[in-house]
Amino acid sequence: MCIRSILLPLAGMSNAESALQVGGYLASMFNAHLSVLHVGTDMQEIGPLVGEGMSGAMVEDMITAAMKESASRLKGVHQLFNDFIQRTHIPVVKAETHHPDGPSASFITHTGHTRSVVSFQARLSDLVVVRQPNPEGDVSSSDTLHAVLFESGRGVIIVPPVATETVGQRVCIGWNGTVEAASAIHHALPLLRRADAVHIVHSPAYQRPGPDARHVAAFLARHDIAATIHKFGSDYRPVGEDMLATAHSFDADLLVMGAYSHSRLRQMILGGVTRHMLENSDIAVLMSR
C-alpha cells in the first residue's frame, strides 16, 4: 500500500491550522496529493429546520442568515488554505491532476449533506486527516470524524489542536486483538515502514478475543518492520489514560489503534478508550473501524 491521496475535510476554522500542518507534512512525506474539502450549507438541509407557523419573511431571514454564515466559513477556510500554500510552497493543481514530481494540493468545495459528501470523498482516498472534535460544541468536526470512521473504510488521523512537529517517526500501536485494531495497522503500514521506532503496547484490561501482541510483531516483521512489545496497565487509571501515558513515555508522535471496539452508544454513555483519545490525546491518533 502506498499513500498517494490524502483527504482533509474542513468545515470550519477551529483547529484547522494544525490539521493543515499535518496534512502538508504527510503529503510531503509521501509525495501525495492533499485534497482540502469544504462542504457548504445546502438548502435541502435548511428546510427541515424551519418550524411550522413561521411566516414567509421569517423563513427567508433564516435561510439568508444560514447562507451568509456558510459563505463566511468558506471564505475563512479558503484563506487558511491559501496561507498554508504560501508557507509550504506546495503546488496547487486540479483535484483530478496527477503531479508525479512531489506533493500537490487542491481546494474542493461541495454543497450537500456533510456526512454523505465527506464519506463519499473519503472512500477513494488513501488516508483522511481530520481535526480533533471540539468538546465545546463544534458539531461539524465530530460529524466529519464519525462519517469517515463508520462509512468510508479508510484510516483516519485525528490531529490535536496543537500539532507535533513530526508525525509517524515514533509510533505506538495500541493492540487489543480486534478487527478494528488490525484494520488500523493495515492503514498505518506506509507510516510504520518509515518510522524510526515502533512499539506495540497491550494490556490485559484492553485485550479482546483475537491474536495477541507477539502475533502482531511477527506480522510486522514480515513487512520488514521491527517492533518491540510492551505491557501497560495500572489498578488506578482507566485504560485510555494508561495507554496515552505509555505513548508519552516512548515520546510517540503517533498512536495507532482501532476505534469503537464496543458500540458507539456504550462509549458515549460509559466512556471508553476511543472516547478518551478523542477528548484528551495531544498527539496524532490513527484510527480505523
Side-chain angles (χ1 to χ4, degrees), residues 14-45:
S14 174
N15 299 342
E17 291 188 7
S18 59
L20 283 166
Q21 177 182 327
V22 170
Y25 180 88
L26 294 171
S28 297
M29 179 188 294
F30 293 102
N31 287 334
H33 180 76
L34 176 66
S35 299
V36 178
L37 169 67
H38 178 79
V39 183
T41 302
D42 189 352
M43 293 290 293
Q44 292 182 351
E45 288 187 304

Side-chain angles (χ1 to χ4, degrees), residues 24 32 34 74 79 84 86 88 91 105 122 169 177 189 239 265 271-272 286 288:
L34 176 66
L74 171 58
Q79 184 60 55
F84 159 76
Q86 288 185 354
T88 60
Q169 289 190 4
L189 279 176
V239 172
L265 179 61
L286 191 157
S288 182

Side-chain angles (χ1 to χ4, degrees), residues 44-284:
Q44 292 182 351
E45 288 187 304
I46 299 174
L49 301 178
V50 178
E52 293 184 7
M54 297 180 67
S55 67
M58 293 172 66
V59 171
E60 186 175 342
D61 287 345
M62 177 179 288
I63 292 175
T64 299
M67 299 308 291
K68 283 184 178 180
E69 182 181 351
S70 179
S72 177
R73 284 198 304 269
L74 171 58
K75 182 178 179 180
V77 170
H78 201 181
Q79 184 60 55
L80 285 177
F81 173 79
N82 290 334
D83 293 343
F84 159 76
I85 292 300
Q86 288 185 354
R87 289 194 308 271
T88 60
H89 306 290
I90 294 177
V92 177
V93 301
K94 293 182 179 179
E96 298 82 9
T97 303
H98 177 53
H99 187 75
D101 300 325
S104 59
S106 60
F107 188 82
I108 309 168
T109 59
H110 278 279
T111 57
H113 188 269
T114 300
R115 189 180 185 102
S116 296
V117 173
V118 170
S119 61
F120 292 169
Q121 292 283 329
R123 289 172 192 174
L124 291 180
S125 301
D126 297 312
L127 192 64
V128 184
V129 176
V130 302
R131 305 170 293 158
Q132 190 178 75
N134 186 341
E136 297 181 356
D138 184 3
V139 177
S140 63
S141 60
S142 181
D143 283 348
T144 296
L145 170 61
H146 290 108
V148 176
L149 282 175
F150 285 86
E151 299 176 23
S152 75
R154 302 296 92 191
V156 53
I157 291 184
I158 300 103
V159 181
V162 179
T164 53
E165 291 185 2
T166 62
V167 176
Q169 289 190 4
R170 299 170 303 281
V171 184
C172 273
I173 299 172
W175 180 253
N176 66 351
T178 62
V179 64
E180 293 85 3
S183 177
I185 291 176
H186 172 76
H187 290 297
L189 279 176
L191 287 157
L192 297 175
R193 291 191 184 101
R194 291 170 174 260
D196 295 330
V198 177
H199 304 282
I200 304 166
V201 299
H202 67 104
S203 167
Y206 187 47
Q207 184 69 23
R208 304 287 180 266
D212 59 34
R214 61 192 172 89
H215 297 127
V216 179
F219 168 78
L220 293 177
R222 295 189 186 100
H223 288 269
D224 298 319
I225 299 167
T228 57
I229 300 174
H230 307 272
K231 184 178 178 180
F232 73 93
S234 66
D235 295 330
Y236 60 92
R237 291 192 301 193
V239 172
E241 188 176 339
D242 269 337
M243 186 188 295
L244 188 56
T246 302
H248 279 299
S249 72
F250 292 118
D251 198 23
D253 58 8
L254 179 66
L255 177 62
V256 175
M257 59 179 287
Y260 295 112
S261 298
H262 290 302
S263 73
R264 181 182 174 188
L265 179 61
R266 171 174 170 165
Q267 296 245 5
M268 290 173 62
I269 296 173
L270 301 178
V273 179
T274 303
R275 179 176 172 181
H276 181 85
M277 294 303 173
L278 294 179
E279 294 179 352
N280 299 284
S281 181
D282 52 359
I283 61 175

